[in-house]
Amino acid sequence: MNIQENISLKNYNTFGIDVKARFFVEITGLVQLQKVLELKAYPKKFIISGGSNMLLTKDIDALVVHIKLKGISIVEENENFVEVKAMAGENWHDLVMWSLEQGFGGLENLSLIPGNVGTAPIQNIGAYGVELKDVLVSCAAMDVKTGELEGFDNEACEFGYRESIFKNEAKDKYIITSVVLKLTKKDHVLHTGYGSIENELKEKGIVHPTIRDISDAVIAIRRSKLPDPKEIGNSGSFFKNPVISQKAFDRFTKKNPNAPFYEMDDNQFKIPAGWLVEQCGFKGKRFGDAGVHEKQALVLVNHGSATGKEILDLSKKIQDEVQKTFKIKIQPEVNIIK
Ligand code: EPU
């Protein structure tokens, strides 16, 4: 086991924040992970995987455990379905591309989401009408106290919009080590209802799309408005889209008749936070190296050497302004490490 000291985490978080890990170790096997968790000399541990959904605001005075568990395998199949097990350290988009190469359907709408497999259940990643919860059978997670592996089936994960048990009761108690996903081998269920996918397919003259066509459309849409973390540091949507009651919605639409919204079950309405942030004049704005993306106001970016604190301060400024202007609270989707 190679425990390193004072390692920069700049290349381990997609925001590209340059903070240091007091200690750092890479994990490629489950037994190795159990051994690391048992190390009494390093009582504080901090788990990092794809680093795509966190904002680091200070040095991490702990043993940073970088999960590099790899492997994709088929665990069960019949003529219609296949169950695929993917280890936590696999890159999410690589898994999506692998599934398409095999002709398996279910992940195409989730193309190009940054991050690793093990982080996907924590915030129930979702895009273009599909969420991880729609395909996840179960995940395995290691109890950080006992080193024992536990299984969580779909229901036990308590998924919600950008939510799961791993962000709530089970927060910091488990390390997700693998997931099992149920994918289709034929009669794929296509989700093309999301407006921009329909337009993209229409523009290309595609009437009967394949799962690959949908993936290509999603990739084209994402590339056109979301910044590539390899080019400019970011963590995707920084805020969740706020969900408001019928009463609050009535008040809101009266004042803002042209605002976009999604109607949800039980008389609730989701308002796109990106629209709210744009209306407050933040789109494309820059404060030092911390900024708001020019094509999608929901995404905060690091133009180079912003600190986590600068990004956090900007996010608070935005929250305050949205609250003042619309009387709506927007909350970060990103995990803020203070
Ligand atoms: N909008 C604006 N200005 C902006 C951004 C958006 O007016 O700067 C408006 C758009 O015109 C549109 C509406 O807001 O009417 C919704 O925009 P969009 O379709 O781009 O989706 P979103 O609600 O902003 C959500 C997810 C994304 C996901 C897309 C597509 C959240 C917090 N974000 O964004 O997820 O890719 O839908 O499904 O739910 C992520 O989590 O990192 C992420 C990118």
Side-chain angles (χ1 to χ4, degrees):
M1 203 179 300
N2 178 20
I3 295 180
Q4 298 167 274
E5 277 188 59
N6 296 322
I7 296 291
S8 167
L9 294 176
K10 190 172 168 58
N11 294 327
Y12 295 94
N13 71 100
T14 60
F15 252 124
I17 304 292
D18 194 4
V19 295
K20 282 200 169 59
R22 178 74 185 90
F23 302 103
F24 182 87
V25 65
E26 282 188 340
I27 293 298
T28 53
L30 290 174
V31 176
Q32 193 189 17
L33 180 56
Q34 275 161 337
K35 286 201 175 124
V36 162
L37 293 176
E38 279 168 15
L39 290 174
K40 297 266 182 320
Y42 305 91
K44 281 192 280 176
K45 283 139 195 131
F46 180 87
I47 312 299
I48 198 162
S49 181
S52 62
N53 200 41
M54 56 169 61
L55 178 65
L56 298 165
T57 62
K58 62 171 178 37
D59 289 342
I60 306 292
D61 185 22
L63 172 61
V64 173
V65 181
H66 182 223
I67 305 293
K68 284 185 79 180
L69 300 165
K70 298 282 183 188
I72 300 174
S73 57
I74 291 172
V75 287
E76 228 172 297
E77 68 183 308
N78 60 27
E79 59 176 304
N80 300 314
F81 295 102
V82 60
E83 287 191 4
V84 171
K85 176 178 176 182
M87 299 302 289
E90 288 288 342
N91 174 271
W92 175 263
H93 181 64
D94 290 349
L95 173 67
V96 176
M97 291 296 107
W98 176 88
S99 71
L100 290 173
E101 275 155 32
Q102 313 299 310
F104 300 156
L107 303 184
E108 54 281 356
N109 293 53
L110 303 177
S111 297
L112 214 62
I113 295 183
N116 286 354
V117 165
T119 345
I122 300 178
Q123 60 148 342
N124 181 26
I125 57 169
Y128 307 103
V130 176
E131 289 181 334
L132 182 74
K133 75 167 170 50
D134 303 328
V135 291
L136 184 131
V137 177
S138 62
C139 59
M142 192 177 282
D143 185 320
V144 293
K145 279 213 177 106
T146 64
E148 264 168 48
L149 275 181
E150 284 180 36
F152 289 75
D153 65 13
N154 187 303
E155 202 184 322
C157 291
E158 295 178 12
F159 288 126
Y161 166 59
R162 297 293 194 275
E163 283 293 346
S164 78
I165 192 167
F166 303 107
K167 266 180 129 176
N168 296 293
E169 301 101 276
K171 191 172 161 57
D172 299 330
K173 293 189 180 134
Y174 293 93
I175 300 167
I176 294 170
T177 55
S178 63
V179 303
V180 175
L181 308 176
K182 185 175 180 177
L183 306 177
T184 46
K185 286 167 84 173
K186 58 181 191 187
D187 303 329
H188 306 301
V189 185
L190 306 183
H191 299 271
T192 54
Y194 207 90
S196 41
I197 295 193
E198 255 167 23
N199 293 341
E200 187 71 25
L201 293 170
K202 213 192 258 163
E203 260 170 41
K204 285 190 183 159
I206 298 172
V207 185
H208 301 292
T210 61
I211 47 177
R212 175 72 71 175
D213 291 332
I214 293 179
S215 169
D216 288 347
V218 167
I219 290 173
I221 299 163
R222 289 191 74 102
R223 287 220 168 107
S224 73
K225 53 181 173 188
L226 293 169
D228 181 350
K230 283 191 201 107
E231 284 158 24
I232 178 161
N234 76 90
S235 203
S237 305
F238 192 91
F239 301 104
K240 289 199 257 190
N241 288 330
V243 175
I244 59 174
S245 68
Q246 176 85 54
K247 207 167 135 213
F249 178 71
D250 292 343
R251 217 180 310 131
F252 173 76
T253 38
K254 216 166 163 192
K255 281 199 186 140
N256 307 282
N258 298 322
F261 63 89
Y262 314 105
E263 191 166 355
M264 301 175 68
D265 304 337
D266 45 28
N267 293 335
Q268 295 208 300
F269 296 81
K270 204 189 264 179
I271 312 294
W275 185 87
L276 299 170
V277 177
E278 179 172 351
Q279 296 303 306
C280 292
F282 283 105
K283 195 169 184 171
K285 280 274 163 65
R286 189 171 166 164
F287 303 82
D289 269 355
V292 179
H293 188 51
E294 55 185 6
K295 294 186 193 135
Q296 165 56 287
L298 195 52
V299 179
L300 301 191
V301 292
N302 174 7
H303 284 285
S305 50
T307 62
K309 167 101 176 34
E310 283 167 330
I311 306 248
L312 183 62
D313 287 349
L314 171 56
S315 77
K316 286 184 182 151
K317 201 199 281 259
I318 293 171
Q319 279 175 309
D320 288 351
E321 204 55 44
V322 168
Q323 172 72 36
K324 220 165 67 195
T325 314
F326 295 104
K327 311 274 174 293
I328 291 180
K329 249 197 186 83
I330 55 170
Q331 298 290 359
E333 174 194 293
V334 169
N335 197 3
I336 294 163
I337 312 297
K338 285 194 229 176

